[in-house]
Amino acid sequence: MDGRDLVRSVKLVGSVRGLRTVRSSWQRRNADARALPRRGAERARVPGLVVGAEPGPGGGVVRFARSELRVRVAVGGAVFWGWDGAEPLPSYALAGAGPEPDPRAGLEPDKDGGWQVVSERLTVAVSRHGAVELRTPGGVVLRRELPPRWWEPVAGGTARWVQRSEVPADARFFGLGGRASGPRLRDGVYRLWNTDPGGSFGPGDDPLYLTMPVQLVVSDAGTHLVFHDNSWSGRVTLREGEEGAGSGHDRPGMCEVRMDGGPLRCWAMAGTPARVLQNWTALTGAPALPPSWALGPQHARWGFGSEGEVRRVVAGYRERGLPLSVLHLDIDHYDAHRVFTVDRERFPDLPGLAKELREDGVRLVSIVDPAVKAEPGNAVFDSGRAVGGDGAFVRDAGGRVVRGEVWPGECVYPDFTDPQVREWWGGWYEERLAQGFSGVWHDMNEPVSFAAFGEPTLPRSARHCLEGRGGDHREAHNVYGLTMARAGYEGLHRLRAEERPFLFSRSGWAGMQRYGGTWSGDVETSWPGLRASLALVLGLGLCGVPYSGPDVGGFGGSPSPELYLRWFQLGAYLPLFRTHAAIDAGRREPWEFGPRVLEHARTALEERERLRPYFVSLAQLARLTGAPYVRPLWWGAPGERALRDCEDAFLLGDALLVAPVLERGADRRAVRLPRGRWHDTATGEVYEGPGQVLLDAPLSRVPVLARAGSVLPVRGADGGVELEVWAPAAGRSGGGLVVRDAGDGWERAEVERYTSRLVDGMVVVEREGEEGPVNGPVRVRGL
């Protein structure tokens, strides 16, 4: 902790508690100094020359003088390789036991003494020095992993390692979890350590709450994803390449992954962006399907303060005819901030309030923090001490329970890497359900202590179960939020098996989508913060987490009416559409910004509700295919270089292109169009892509274009679902996939496939597999 962190701690929680945070910080550092051995002198190691190979299922093992490399192609096309005996399991990222090896792939000699594994979608070539190349079936190199290097303490201990890679000169990097500076990741260093940045963050802050060693790389040669399955602290250095001019040589792009310990193992997959995300979610698990009500407008505030204020806000929406689906209660509804409690003075009948709101169409969602107040008589603390043989809470290397300073005061932290602890914690969600909550939101779960801005809350030497393997916080830190999400999701599923759980979490790791979504966290209230909001959603979607969104309006401070409205308009087209603010920030209700903003916000809300069936379809398709709701413009055309560099617009599914306004005072904006015909949904103008157009963006709306020929479900005037069809161009066809809302249970989704074409000046819409007219209302636009 430096001086700035001390000032921030004192400012946040008061001088007495702030001083306690300093003591806690020193205790952590002293614990690590005692328990973690100094690295001392180190010995560098590289693989050396190849000395032999042994074929095996899906590939085999290539042996070198000082290491060995296992290569395995899985059914579905994903490729695994691991050094020094590393296997795919155990892994927190993989769903279940992982994929089976592909029996068609085998290890065979390659040129110059190397070896290769040829599969349907990738060829993996291993040189005699240990370099690994990923090639397309046509022989084009997508990525070249140079021989790795390890540094091993001479006195014994964990080896750290570095893996350098080369990609084509035209390649662009995306991913690495939630990055405010994205979605395209430019030259720089990106840390892999889930962190609360403290207060608020903007585009220049790194790392943030949810980091992942997942890279998506797009180039003319193709699209590929690489995942280094290692949860230790690390950093990724990226440098984009440069194409030679005239007789000059190309400078390839470069990626360097450095990890402080843990295995060197990697998964890779290639193909179209849609194919890559489908393979990725097949490997790490299908996204949890949010209930349909979670796709509507949501409102939160840290500081509602009482049942009366909650009723006042909901009544404000209803009196003004504004739709509202969900209201979130922050930590101020707890008794002295203690998790799984209720302040009975301010919320005397929370179940009654929840029932009343639910009858009015509004669900309640509760915040849940992992920190448990270390106080005898606190039911959660007392029951946690009785879990298993040593209790539920994380201990240091000396066996003492680790304590930190959080909102309730001195707190302890459950070890969610222990299956017994997850089951115990999941049982506590019965209390939340009994209070009438329909879902939960996990916060402060990096985990956080007020003494730990930018440094670990728990000592790096703290001990964790890690599913019975045992280990310390260096390995467990980045998966802490992920395993908490698993505990919550599985607990909710056990307690209310007939309904799909609703959960989203501030922190997580690869595979987070299995349990729910995430949100931006404490994004700063500024125009750069607005731009960062879009970057986070796009980047997380490319890492397999399709359900996310920002704090609309920014977390802290008071946005100007214009900034609030532009943020609101962006949020209306993102999966998680939630306003939220800090306790000392301005309000976020639309009517607080004047009558003009209110009317324009009403338009955005009504359009979100009109598109609710489309969001339901996108959610179902994300679960089935891994495709995110919100996609970069290059999604369907990764070979279009101009689209790779476009970061201020996005595709919502296949049908809509949304161009939010991200700059103060703008009433027009340039929009880059993918190939094809596009209809302006507000003016009816038609544009042909590829190319760039200048569109009006008055304060009342943001430009939204519909792809010609697209078929999408929307809410009709009678409240039912109708098909909205945008006229295709002459000689071209279109279509769309529709999945209707089957309720909030586990009913199997039925995918309806529609085609559209222009015949004698009329638009013909047909459902594949059926003859005759389409069942239900159809509305043609843009003819």
Side-chain angles (χ1 to χ4, degrees), residues 199-471:
S200 62
F201 69 87
D205 290 303
D206 182 87
L208 298 179
Y209 314 95
L210 201 163
T211 66
M212 295 187 207
V214 180
Q215 305 169 38
L216 189 75
V217 184
V218 184
S219 68
D220 288 352
T223 301
H224 72 273
L225 181 148
V226 167
F227 166 53
H228 290 86
D229 192 352
N230 184 318
S231 62
W232 283 61
S233 172
R235 56 193 180 276
V236 178
T237 302
L238 300 177
R239 187 190 67 194
E240 292 182 346
E242 184 176 347
E243 293 183 294
S247 59
H249 294 288
D250 287 354
R251 177 172 60 81
M254 184 275 292
C255 169
E256 178 185 276
V257 179
R258 287 182 178 267
M259 304 299 292
D260 293 339
L264 203 178
R265 56 184 181 175
C266 193
W267 286 91
M269 50 212 69
T272 65
R275 171 68 70 177
V276 168
L277 264 294
Q278 186 174 24
N279 286 350
W280 173 240
T281 52
L283 181 70
T284 59
L289 187 64
S292 57
W293 51 262
L295 297 170
Q298 307 185 37
H299 187 82
R301 191 203 309 157
W302 175 18
F304 277 124
S306 68
E307 287 186 9
E309 178 65 5
V310 169
R311 287 191 174 91
R312 188 193 72 80
V313 169
V314 174
Y317 275 87
R318 293 297 180 251
E319 291 166 2
R320 294 167 176 85
L322 304 176
L324 179 67
S325 293
V326 185
L327 189 135
H328 300 246
L329 296 188
D330 211 317
I331 54 174
D332 50 292
H333 85 278
Y334 282 132
D335 179 14
H337 296 149
R338 292 175 298 182
V339 68
F340 301 124
T341 64
V342 175
D343 186 329
R344 299 295 179 183
E345 290 187 7
R346 293 184 292 170
F347 292 86
D349 184 15
L350 191 52
L353 174 66
K355 182 175 182 293
E356 172 189 327
L357 295 181
R358 187 162 181 167
E359 291 172 350
D360 196 28
V362 178
R363 306 285 185 126
L364 279 185
V365 166
S366 170
I367 191 172
V368 174
D369 289 352
V372 175
K373 185 173 179 60
E375 178 183 62
N378 174 9
V380 184
F381 177 68
D382 291 342
S383 68
R385 290 195 290 181
V387 173
D390 297 320
F393 306 117
V394 176
R395 295 175 178 268
D396 65 18
R400 297 175 294 273
V401 174
V402 176
R403 302 189 177 213
E405 195 73 22
V406 200
W407 296 117
E410 192 172 55
C411 291
V412 292
Y413 300 85
D415 179 8
F416 297 114
T417 70
D418 186 335
Q420 291 185 88
V421 174
R422 289 198 296 269
E423 184 174 2
W424 161 77
W425 184 264
W428 274 100
Y429 288 73
E430 183 174 12
E431 184 275 339
R432 293 288 87 186
L433 296 177
Q435 296 297 341
F437 290 107
S438 298
V440 295
W441 128 51
H442 287 175
D443 205 347
M444 307 286 283
N445 59 338
E446 289 71 35
V448 171
S449 167
F450 293 140
F453 294 112
E455 60 180 64
T457 292
L458 304 176
R460 294 177 188 264
S461 58
R463 304 300 299 170
H464 289 265
C465 172
L466 291 168
E467 315 308 315
R469 293 181 288 112

Side-chain angles (χ1 to χ4, degrees), residues 157-234:
T158 302
R160 56 190 180 94
W161 54 262
V162 60
Q163 174 73 74
R164 294 185 177 92
S165 313
E166 294 177 348
V167 297
D170 65 291
R172 296 290 183 261
F173 296 98
F174 301 87
L176 295 183
R179 303 288 168 172
S181 59
R184 172 184 163 193
L185 302 177
R186 290 169 169 77
D187 296 2
V189 179
Y190 300 87
R191 283 195 62 201
L192 299 171
W193 187 256
N194 293 347
T195 304
D196 174 12
S200 62
F201 69 87
D205 290 303
D206 182 87
L208 298 179
Y209 314 95
L210 201 163
T211 66
M212 295 187 207
V214 180
Q215 305 169 38
L216 189 75
V217 184
V218 184
S219 68
D220 288 352
T223 301
H224 72 273
L225 181 148
V226 167
F227 166 53
H228 290 86
D229 192 352
N230 184 318
S231 62
W232 283 61
S233 172

Side-chain angles (χ1 to χ4, degrees), residues 674-700:
R675 191 174 303 275
R677 175 171 289 187
W678 296 87
H679 299 268
D680 189 314
T681 59
T683 68
E685 292 290 327
V686 178
Y687 304 95
E688 288 286 344
Q692 183 168 279
V693 296
L694 188 63
L695 301 180
D696 289 334
L699 200 59
S700 59

